[in-house]
């Protein structure tokens, strides 16, 4: 892979790393960015996803400033927001948060927005927000208790990870599955390819 095709992923999410690997892309560096993710007053979930992904990409750009090893790199950041209507659900760290989120999602539809931000080697900023609609089955008390006991809710937007046990809660999904996991692959690769990144360089040859 050429030097100008180095990719910095401004995230520490194993799910995003795995999704990129699925597409044959291995980031040259992982740079989780710790920024304030508190929604602004009356902020729309879509706007929050866009703002946070852009903020993380720009924070990563500032962090590599002056480092010649990464001067020609692409910087990719993403942030996933789960909402019911305009109500934004947190990335759950506490059991009570996860329980509240699952009770809210039970038997109803919600939306998953992932903001993707790409900063190119010439420092052009490209953005995309992908929206997926997900409907959960009606969860029993035992469903919720058993899922909470699994620990798979920890750190997840909306209190669940679709790639795990919670995938069995999904009655209907309209849109991108990988978006719900945390990185919409089609849209992400389209952004990269459109800005000259060789998305095929890491593909295996028969």
């Amino acid at each position: 892979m050429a030097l100008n095709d180095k990719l910095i992923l401004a995230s520490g999410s194993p799910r995003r790393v795995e999704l990129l690997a699925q597409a044959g892309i291995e980031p040259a560096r992982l740079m989780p960015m710790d920024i304030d993710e508190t929604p602004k007053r009356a902020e729309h979930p879509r706007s929050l996803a866009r703002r946070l992904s852009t903020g993380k990409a720009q924070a990563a750009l500032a962090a590599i400033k002056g480092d010649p090893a990464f001067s020609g790199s692409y910087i990719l950041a993403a942030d996933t927001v789960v909402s019911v209507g305009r109500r934004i659900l947190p990335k759950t760290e506490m059991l009570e948060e996860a329980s509240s989120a699952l009770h809210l999602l039970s038997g109803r539809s919600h939306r998953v927005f992932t903001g993707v931000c790409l900063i190119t080697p010439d420092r052009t900023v490209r953005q995309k927000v992908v929206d997926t609609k997900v409907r959960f089955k009606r969860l029993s008390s035992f469903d919720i208790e058993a899922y909470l006991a699994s620990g798979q809710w920890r750190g997840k937007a909306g209190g669940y990870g679709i790639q795990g046990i919670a995938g069995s809660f999904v009655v209907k999904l309209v849109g991108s599955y990988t978006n719900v996991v945390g990185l919409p692959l089609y849209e992400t690769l389209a952004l990269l390819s459109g800005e000259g990144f060789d998305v095929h360089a890491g593909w295996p040859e028969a």
Side-chain angles (χ1 to χ4, degrees):
M1 187 172 286
L3 176 63
N4 67 345
D5 277 357
K6 279 187 177 177
L7 179 69
I8 294 172
L9 180 62
S11 172
S13 165
R15 295 168 299 283
R16 292 187 178 121
V17 173
E18 289 165 5
L19 285 167
L20 285 174
Q22 179 182 327
I25 296 173
E26 182 180 352
R29 184 174 177 182
L30 301 181
M31 294 184 65
M33 291 291 109
D34 185 17
I35 66 172
D36 183 2
E37 299 190 11
T38 307
K40 295 180 178 178
R41 183 179 177 85
E43 188 169 24
H44 191 278
R46 177 185 295 274
S47 300
L48 177 63
R50 182 186 299 275
R51 178 171 65 83
L52 294 182
S53 61
T54 303
K56 290 175 181 179
Q58 290 174 337
L61 176 61
I64 64 165
K65 188 175 182 180
D67 185 345
F70 292 98
S71 61
S73 298
Y74 292 79
I75 299 171
L76 179 69
D79 195 88
T80 301
V81 174
V82 174
S83 69
V84 176
R86 291 182 66 100
R87 178 175 174 179
I88 296 169
L89 277 61
K91 289 183 173 69
T92 51
E93 300 295 345
M94 306 294 291
L95 194 68
E96 295 77 11
E97 290 178 323
S99 177
S100 176
L102 291 169
H103 278 94
L104 181 64
L105 296 175
S106 174
R108 67 196 304 176
S109 295
H110 61 277
R111 300 187 95 94
V112 180
F113 298 91
T114 299
V116 180
C117 182
L118 177 69
I119 300 180
T120 69
D122 67 3
R123 302 318 175 212
T124 300
V125 177
R126 295 283 184 252
Q127 298 168 302
K128 180 78 175 177
V129 179
V130 180
D131 174 10
T132 301
K133 187 176 182 180
V134 183
R135 183 174 181 84
F136 268 17
K137 71 172 187 173
R138 187 167 299 280
L139 303 175
S140 68
S141 296
F142 185 74
D143 286 331
I144 292 175
E145 290 169 10
Y147 188 69
L148 293 174
S150 77
Q152 291 189 10
W153 51 270
R154 203 176 303 277
K156 304 289 198 308
Y160 76 95
I162 197 171
Q163 72 279 10
I165 296 167
S168 65
F169 299 163
V170 177
V171 174
K172 187 176 183 181
L173 185 150
V174 181
S176 166
Y177 171 81
T178 54
N179 179 53
V180 185
V181 179
L183 188 70
L185 275 184
Y186 165 74
E187 292 83 0
T188 299
L189 265 65
L191 278 178
L192 285 165
S193 180
E195 293 301 326
F197 185 94
D198 185 359
V199 298
H200 303 109
W203 288 18
E205 295 181 4

